[in-house]
Amino acid sequence: MSDDSARTWVEAEWQDSLDEELEMEIDDHLIAKELAFISDLKHKSDLDRTTYFHELLRQQAELVKLQDWVQHTGQKLVVIFEGRDAAGKGGVIKRITQRLNPRVARVVALPAPTEREKSQWYFQRYVPHLPAAGEMVLFDRSWYNRSGVERVMEFATEDQVEAFFNDVSEFERMLVRSGIVLVKYWFSITDQEQQLRFLMRIHDPLKQWKLSPMDLESRKRWEDYTKAKEETLERTNIPEAPWFIVEGNDKKKARLNCINHLLSMMPYEDVPHDPIHLPERVFNPDYERKVLPDELYVPQKF
């Protein structure tokens, strides 16, 4: 392959990376004309698209370096993402993991507990998902469900919530003493912004799956969630695992700010790699490739 051909191929691959991110972004603009008022009311980012994409891809390249360093050094990283529904947690998690190895960087989003799990020690269902050496685990909601969703929705008693507050800080200190790096983010948005994002989900068929009955109920209990948030941050902000609040009204800025902060929390560095040489293919003159039947192939409609 000539240098010019190689350059053209690499440029095409780079364009594919941009297109992949663009596909994830463009659904924000797919909305019926009669609902355009939602877009008019939503927060407008003053971060231009070119700057956003350039910085996002730069940070994702750094995340790959972080991943390599975690593997190389045997680090154990846990990142918790908490906050109100529609605050942007999923979007940030998606951008963090977009170019990482899923065997190294895992996302944990647990469903509602089973009856058996309800009878266990509260933290027990989370422990099996904690990282081994060389792994990163991102919790899309975590054990803080107990002081947040479960408390507000009255799935947990006040005694259970108080027991959680008494135990959680020591539980997290145990994790840190075991060698786990624990980073906790709380995503915060305004009342109006959440309402508009819920309206988008209601009227956008591509996003309706994101809207659960629990989300709708949470709108009615905005103030209860605020009180639960305030007490949670006050009682669980410990030196070993402090909280960091991400302002989420501007999705693009929230993503960049959160990833940049996460990178700043880790003392990662470039990991030395042995040079990789692509071996020459072995050709067997006696080999004849079989002709496979047409029905095995996916029809080429595009």
Side-chain angles (χ1 to χ4, degrees):
M1 181 182 294
S2 68
D3 290 345
D4 289 342
S5 297
R7 188 178 299 108
T8 300
W9 183 82
V10 170
E11 288 172 353
E13 287 292 303
W14 182 253
Q15 186 62 49
D16 281 346
S17 294
L18 289 174
D19 289 345
E20 181 181 359
E21 177 60 29
L22 184 59
E23 288 171 10
M24 295 167 66
E25 285 294 311
I26 202 168
D27 64 343
D28 284 345
H29 304 284
L30 296 177
I31 185 166
K33 289 182 179 179
E34 60 269 22
L35 298 171
F37 74 93
I38 297 177
S39 292
D40 294 338
L41 292 172
K42 282 180 68 63
H43 178 90
K44 299 295 192 300
S45 177
D46 57 9
L47 189 66
D48 68 90
R49 182 176 293 274
T50 301
T51 301
Y52 168 70
F53 281 138
H54 181 274
E55 184 60 23
L56 177 66
L57 291 170
R58 186 194 70 78
Q59 290 189 4
Q60 288 179 331
E62 291 299 312
L63 285 168
V64 173
K65 293 181 184 178
L66 171 62
Q67 169 190 260
D68 290 346
W69 177 80
V70 166
Q71 273 192 294
H72 180 74
T73 60
Q75 293 290 318
K76 295 177 284 185
L77 174 61
V78 170
V79 188
I80 286 176
F81 296 86
E82 290 288 346
R84 296 185 188 274
D85 297 311
K89 301 181 296 296
V92 174
I93 292 171
K94 191 177 296 183
R95 271 69 181 187
I96 291 174
T97 60
Q98 190 175 0
R99 307 188 192 285
L100 301 185
N101 183 345
R103 294 184 178 87
V104 178
R106 293 184 285 110
V107 178
V108 176
L110 297 183
T114 64
E115 289 302 315
R116 181 176 183 275
E117 288 171 332
K118 289 179 183 178
S119 71
Q120 295 175 340
W121 174 51
Y122 176 70
F123 298 97
Q124 188 169 338
R125 68 193 297 251
Y126 296 99
V127 170
H129 300 281
L130 294 172
E135 294 180 349
M136 305 162 56
V137 175
L138 285 65
F139 279 95
D140 186 352
R141 295 203 181 278
S142 65
W143 42 84
Y144 283 100
N145 268 347
R146 174 55 49 96
S147 63
V149 174
E150 292 185 14
R151 183 182 196 179
V152 173
M153 302 303 295
E154 300 178 353
F155 296 149
T157 67
E158 283 302 314
D159 286 344
Q160 289 175 320
V161 173
E162 188 60 29
F164 168 80
F165 279 132
N166 290 334
D167 293 343
V168 65
S169 293
E170 186 53 35
F171 173 68
E172 292 179 353
R173 291 187 184 100
M174 290 171 60
L175 298 183
V176 173
R177 287 197 297 268
S178 75
I180 290 175
V181 176
L182 179 59
V183 184
K184 304 188 300 192
Y185 291 112
W186 193 287
F187 283 72
S188 179
I189 56 173
T190 62
D191 186 355
Q192 183 189 46
E193 183 68 18
Q194 186 190 55
Q195 181 182 14
L196 293 172
R197 291 183 186 182
F198 278 172
L199 286 172
M200 289 280 285
R201 292 180 179 184
I202 289 172
H203 297 291
D204 185 349
L206 297 179
K207 293 183 177 180
Q208 283 178 1
W209 67 270
K210 294 183 176 182
L211 197 64
S212 69
M214 199 78 65
D215 296 332
L216 298 175
E217 186 65 25
S218 72
R219 277 299 299 158
K220 298 193 300 185
R221 308 194 187 198
W222 173 273
E223 291 184 1
D224 292 335
Y225 270 100
T226 299
K227 294 175 184 176
K229 164 193 171 181
E230 291 171 348
E231 185 172 4
T232 296
L233 295 180
E234 179 182 357
R235 299 185 64 176
T236 63
N237 186 44
I238 58 175
E240 296 86 351
W243 281 104
F244 299 100
I245 297 175
V246 179
E247 294 287 353
N249 275 11
D250 187 321
K251 289 181 178 181
K252 291 183 175 64
K253 287 186 176 180
R255 293 164 189 165
L256 297 182
N257 288 332
C258 184
I259 297 173
N260 180 72
H261 183 269
L262 177 61
L263 291 168
S264 74
M265 296 289 291
M266 304 298 295
Y268 72 98
E269 56 188 8
D270 286 331
V271 173
H273 292 285
D274 293 331
I276 300 174
H277 300 285
L278 187 65
E280 295 291 333
R281 182 193 157 183
V282 176
F283 289 90
N284 185 345
D286 297 325
Y287 170 74
E288 289 188 14
R289 184 174 180 177
K290 293 182 179 179
V291 178
L292 299 176
D294 291 342
E295 59 267 23
L296 292 181
Y297 290 90
V298 172
Q300 297 192 41
K301 293 189 175 182
F302 305 97

